[in-house]
Amino acid sequence: KAGVTQTPRYLIKTRGQQVTLSCSPISGHRSVSWYQQTPGQGLQFLFEYFSETQRNKGNFPGRFSGRQFSNSRSEMNVSTLELGDSALYLCASSLDSGAGSGNTIYFGEGSWLTVV
Amino acid sequence: GQQLNQSPQSMFIQEGEDVSMNCTSSSIFNTWLWYKQDPGEGPVLLIALYKAGELTSNGRLTAQFGITRKDSFLNISASIPSDVGIYFCAGQTIQGAQKLVFGQGTRLTINP
């Protein structure tokens, strides 16, 4: 079955603009989470959505937001882009919001965002 | 943000050698995960550990969940060129199961 799909794969934006990234989870998966990966900070958790509700949130400013649709697809938005927002944004999906051997977390290939 | 202490940061080895890397934390985790990331790709799960003391193998890979639940190691035996990449450990708690805490990564380079 298809894996986690993220679009776009690459994009370049200008400071002050906003960006929307999209994620389609594995079929049947209802939990979607987002991570930011940078050389300096590594992989940092942004937020998690389950059944269209934000279940958990990392330590990022309010410029970072997300949402989940009824079909479990998710989008994340970054407003008023800063140079430091340049990163690989990874989406991950799992069956539900819990832990355990039946709820493996799978990652997509990521969206590379460059802010100039 | 919180991160796990992963070491070493990088390794340069000869093909055929064994590799060992580990992660430590000041916090307890319920699950330890090991991922591999190739350039331009997302992390791919290698091994998941769900019980303190658990030792699990996946082909040439072996990982253990520390008894204290604050550490884990990953061993790769008889390394081959396709093992090149960045390896990450990640800790998971029941309370925030999707909020993985990652190590800084171990970059593995193999000389043929």
Side-chain angles (χ1 to χ4, degrees):
Chain A
K1 59 183 176 184
V4 179
T5 305
Q6 293 187 243
T7 57
R9 282 279 280 148
Y10 306 92
L11 67 166
I12 300 174
K13 290 287 187 178
T14 304
R15 265 184 307 175
Q17 286 186 316
Q18 69 151 8
V19 67
T20 299
L21 308 177
S22 180
C23 172
S24 292
I26 292 173
S27 178
H29 284 195
R30 296 165 60 198
S31 172
V32 174
S33 49
W34 290 88
Y35 290 79
Q36 181 197 63
Q37 185 176 25
T38 60
Q41 298 298 315
L43 280 146
Q44 301 284 326
F45 173 81
L46 280 158
F47 28 64
E48 181 220 348
Y49 286 87
F50 177 76
S51 292
E52 302 178 65
T53 302
Q54 187 179 86
R55 294 290 295 267
N56 219 329
K57 192 176 189 305
N59 297 322
F60 280 83
R63 299 185 297 108
F64 292 80
S65 63
R67 59 177 175 169
Q68 186 180 35
F69 303 95
S70 58
N71 61 359
S72 295
R73 192 176 67 84
S74 176
E75 289 180 347
M76 68 162 283
N77 183 276
V78 188
S79 62
T80 319
L81 284 166
E82 301 175 359
L83 295 179
D85 296 333
S86 295
L88 176 65
Y89 289 88
L90 291 160
C91 173
S93 78
S94 58
L95 279 171
D96 60 42
S97 198
S101 60
N103 203 35
T104 304
I105 297 173
Y106 297 91
F107 283 84
E109 294 185 325
S111 292
W112 286 94
L113 171 65
T114 301
V115 182
V116 298
Chain B
Q2 181 187 9
Q3 277 193 324
L4 304 175
N5 296 314
Q6 185 172 348
S7 64
Q9 285 190 312
S10 60
M11 302 184 73
F12 299 85
I13 63 170
Q14 299 293 323
E15 185 177 349
E17 287 185 10
D18 296 343
V19 171
S20 184
M21 59 192 78
N22 70 85
C23 273
T24 61
S25 170
S26 57
S27 304
I28 289 174
F29 289 101
N30 301 104
T31 301
W32 281 89
L33 307 165
W34 285 92
Y35 287 87
K36 177 175 182 271
Q37 187 175 27
D38 292 327
E41 306 292 328
V44 174
L45 182 66
L46 299 174
I47 289 182
L49 303 155
Y50 301 102
K51 190 176 174 182
E54 178 182 356
L55 183 71
T56 297
S57 292
N58 178 10
R60 295 178 295 106
L61 277 61
T62 301
Q64 184 157 32
F65 191 146
I67 290 291
T68 65
R69 295 202 283 159
K70 292 183 178 181
D71 63 306
S72 177
F73 73 74
L74 173 71
N75 288 339
I76 305 173
S77 63
S79 59
I80 59 178
S82 62
D83 291 334
V84 166
I86 303 178
Y87 292 79
F88 291 96
C89 61
Q92 182 184 50
T93 62
I94 292 177
Q95 295 82 0
Q98 308 308 309
K99 187 178 180 179
L100 298 179
V101 178
F102 281 88
Q104 302 96 322
T106 296
R107 182 182 296 273
L108 180 62
T109 303
I110 298 176
N111 299 315

